[in-house]
C-alpha cells in the first residue's frame, strides 16, 4: 500500500477540483450489449482493488464462462470512461473507486441496476450505509460494495505510557472518546515526549469529522451547504491541534520517517491504514494499539463492483460479483489485500477475529467491527469531491504558511461556492 492510497482522499478532491467531478459517459442511451460474447466476460480492477487469489479462484469456479481479468494501471476512472464511450471496449464487470461512485450516479443508465439481476435478495447481508452510496435517488443500485474503511485511532502504547496516559484499548476508547479529550491527551503526550505530536495534519482530522456526520457539502436538493454550521464546526475542531501545537504538519513524503521515529504518537485512519503503518515502520511491531475514533464512527474509502449496461451477460456477471464478494471471500480479501469486508457476517470469521501481532496481539476487529456497523449514512453529491477540495487546500495553507484560520475559512467557502456554481450546484 503506497502513499497514494494512504492519502487518496486528499488527492481525489484536489484532482476533482481541477478536472471536474462529472462522469459524463457520452450520451444517454441504454448501451445495449449488441454482439458481445456472453461466454467471454471481462473484469477490470486496479492493483489492490480485489484479492488476486479470490479473482483467480473465480476463474476456476465459473467454468461455464471464460473470465478474462485486467489489472488496470494509471487513471482507472479515465480509462473506464473511455471504455464506456466505446461500448465494445467496456468490461462486463468493473471496479469503481469509492471516491468516484457519486460522480457516476447521474449516468446510472450506463450500468445495470443490480437489483434486477439478484442483488435485491442479497442486500440485507451488506452494510446499508455503504449500499446507499451506490444507489440513485430513484432507487437503482449500480455498485456492489467491495470494501470499506471504518476509522479508528492507532496509537503508540509505549509513548502513551511515558506520558501517563491510559494504554489499554478499552480505556483509551473510553477516556479519549471526544475530540476535546483526544486533544487534551495530545497536549500531555507532547509535554512528556516533546518530539512526539498527536496528528500528522489537520486535514485528516477534518475529513474524519465530516465522515461522522449525516451531511456533507451539498444536500439532496443539490444546494451548497458548505458554509453551514456542521462544516464550520468541523473546521473549528480540526484547527485546534494546530493552535495547541500538537500538529506535526506533515503534508509531504516525510510521513514514513515520522511513523518510524516516534514523531507521531497517534494516527487517525481507516482499517486499511494498519498496513501503511506496519509497512512504514516494521521496527515498531508490538508497540501500536487501536482504539475507537474520538467523536464516533467515520469511514474513509471503500469501492464497488459494477456491471456496465453493455455487458454481454449481466446475470452471470452478477453471479461472479456476488461470489467474489461473499462474506467468506471478503474475509480472504482482508487477509490478502487489507480490504475490510462490507458483509458483517465476515467479522466473525477467523481471518478477522484473530489477534494482530503488529498491534501486540490485539483483536482489532473488536474496534473496527462495531464502528463499521454504526457509520452514519450521508448523501454524497456528484460534485462533493470538487466542492470539498478548497477546504483541504486552505487547511494546508494554515500549516504551511501560517495563514489565519478565519481568513482561510472565508477563502475556502468562497472558492467552494465558485466550484459549486460551475458544477451546477445551487
Amino acid at each position: 500500500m503506497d502513499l497514494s492510497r494512504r492519502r487518496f482522499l486528499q488527492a481525489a478532491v484536489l484532482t476533482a477540483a481541477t478536472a471536474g467531478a462529472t462522469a459524463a459517459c457520452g450520451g444517454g442511451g441504454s448501451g445495449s450489449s449488441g454482439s458481445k460474447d456472453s461466454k467471454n466476460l471481462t473484469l477490470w480492477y486496479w492493483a489492490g482493488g480485489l484479492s488476486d487469489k479470490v479473482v483467480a479462484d473465480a476463474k476456476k469456479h465459473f467454468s461455464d464462462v471464460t473470465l478474462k481479468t485486467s489489472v488496470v494501471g494509471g487513471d482507472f476512472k479515465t480509462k473506464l470512461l473511455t471504455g464506456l464511450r466505446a461500448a465494445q471496449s467496456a468490461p462486463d464487470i468493473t471496479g469503481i473507486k469509492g471516491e468516484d461512485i457519486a460522480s457516476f450516479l447521474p449516468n446510472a443508465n450506463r450500468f445495470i441496476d443490480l437489483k434486477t439481476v439478484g442483488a435485491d435478495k442479497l442486500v440485507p447481508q451488506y452494510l446499508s450505509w455503504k449500499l446507499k452510496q451506490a444507489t440513485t435517488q430513484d432507487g437503482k443500485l449500480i455498485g456492489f460494495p467491495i470494501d470499506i474503511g471504518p476509522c479508528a485511532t492507532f496509537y503508540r502504547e509505549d509513548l502513551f505510557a511515558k506520558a501517563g496516559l491510559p494504554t489499554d484499548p478499552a480505556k483509551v476508547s473510553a477516556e479519549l472518546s471526544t475530540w476535546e479529550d483526544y486533544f487534551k491527551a495530545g497536549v500531555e503526550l507532547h509535554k512528556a515526549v516533546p518530539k512526539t505530536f498527536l496528528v500528522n495534519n489537520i486535514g485528516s482530522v477534518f475529513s474524519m469529522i465530516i465522515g461522522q456526520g449525516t451531511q456533507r457539502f451539498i444536500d439532496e436538493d443539490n444546494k451548497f451547504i458548505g458554509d453551514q454550521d456542521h462544516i464550520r464546526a468541523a473546521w473549528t475542531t480540526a484547527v485546534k491541534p494546530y493552535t495547541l501545537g500538537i500538529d506535526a504538519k506533515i503534508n509531504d513524503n516525510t510521513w514514513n520517517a515520522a511513523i518510524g521515529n516516534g514523531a507521531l504518537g497517534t494516527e487517525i485512519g481507516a482499517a486499511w491504514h494498519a498496513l501503511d503503518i506496519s509497512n512504514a515502520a516494521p521496527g515498531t511491531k508490538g508497540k501500536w494499539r487501536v482504539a475507537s475514533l474520538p467523536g464516533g464512527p467515520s469511514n474513509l474509502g471503500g469501492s464497488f463492483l459494477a456491471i456496465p449496461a453493455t455487458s454481454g451477460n449481466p446475470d452471470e456477471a452478477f453471479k461472479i460479483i456476488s461470489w467474489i464478494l461473499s462474506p467468506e471471500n471478503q474475509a480472504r480479501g482482508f487477509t490478502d489485500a487489507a480490504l475490510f469486508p462490507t458483509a458483517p457476517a465476515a467479522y466473525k470469521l477467523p481471518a478477522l477475529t484473530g489477534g494482530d501481532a503488529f498491534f501486540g496481539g490485539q483483536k482489532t476487529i473488536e474496534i473496527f467491527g462495531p464502528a463499521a456497523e454504526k457509520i452514519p449514512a450521508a448523501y454524497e453529491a456528484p460534485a462533493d469531491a470538487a466542492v470539498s477540495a478548497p477546504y483541504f487546500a486552505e487547511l494546508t495553507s494554515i500549516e504551511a504558511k501560517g495563514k489565519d484560520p478565519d481568513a482561510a475559512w472565508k477563502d475556502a467557502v468562497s472558492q467552494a461556492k465558485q466550484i459549486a456554481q460551475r458544477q451546477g450546484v445551487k
Side-chain angles (χ1 to χ4, degrees), residues 26 28 39 64 111 124-125 139 145 151 188 266-267 339 353 361 373 394:
K39 291 294 183 180
D64 291 341
F111 299 91
Q125 300 176 33
C151 297
E188 294 179 28
T266 77
E267 275 284 281
L339 299 168
T353 58
E373 297 189 63
E394 288 297 323

Side-chain angles (χ1 to χ4, degrees), residues 21 31 100 106 138 146 201 225 232 264 269 324 334 345 370 402 409:
D100 296 329
D138 60 356
I146 297 172
N201 61 56
I225 55 174
R232 178 60 173 171
L264 287 172
I324 289 175
F334 178 76
W409 164 257

Side-chain angles (χ1 to χ4, degrees), residues 32-102:
S32 60
S33 59
S35 60
K36 271 205 167 187
D37 186 351
S38 64
K39 291 294 183 180
N40 289 286
L41 301 182
T42 54
L43 164 63
W44 287 6
Y45 64 105
W46 52 91
L50 292 169
S51 162
D52 293 330
K53 294 179 182 178
V54 171
V55 171
D57 286 347
K59 294 180 180 181
K60 300 174 185 176
H61 184 80
F62 292 91
S63 57
D64 291 341
V65 298
T66 299
L67 179 61
K68 299 179 180 179
T69 62
S70 296
V71 178
V72 179
D75 188 333
F76 188 90
K77 179 182 177 182
T78 298
K79 292 179 180 179
L80 175 58
L81 288 171
T82 300
L84 291 173
R85 291 188 186 103
Q88 291 300 315
S89 300
D92 295 282
I93 305 169
T94 183
I96 297 179
K97 294 186 178 183
E99 61 266 34
D100 296 329
I101 190 69

Side-chain angles (χ1 to χ4, degrees), residues 103-158:
S103 67
F104 281 101
L105 292 177
N107 296 283
N109 61 331
R110 287 289 174 179
F111 299 91
I112 296 294
D113 177 1
L114 300 181
K115 291 180 180 178
T116 66
V117 289
D120 56 328
K121 299 176 182 177
L122 297 179
V123 292
Q125 300 176 33
Y126 294 79
L127 293 165
S128 60
W129 65 265
K130 188 62 179 176
L131 289 162
K132 183 178 180 180
Q133 292 180 351
T135 303
T136 63
Q137 288 185 297
D138 60 356
K140 294 183 178 67
L141 179 67
I142 68 167
F144 213 64
I146 297 172
D147 67 318
I148 56 172
C151 297
T153 303
F154 301 89
Y155 67 96
R156 282 280 296 269
E157 183 191 44
D158 57 329

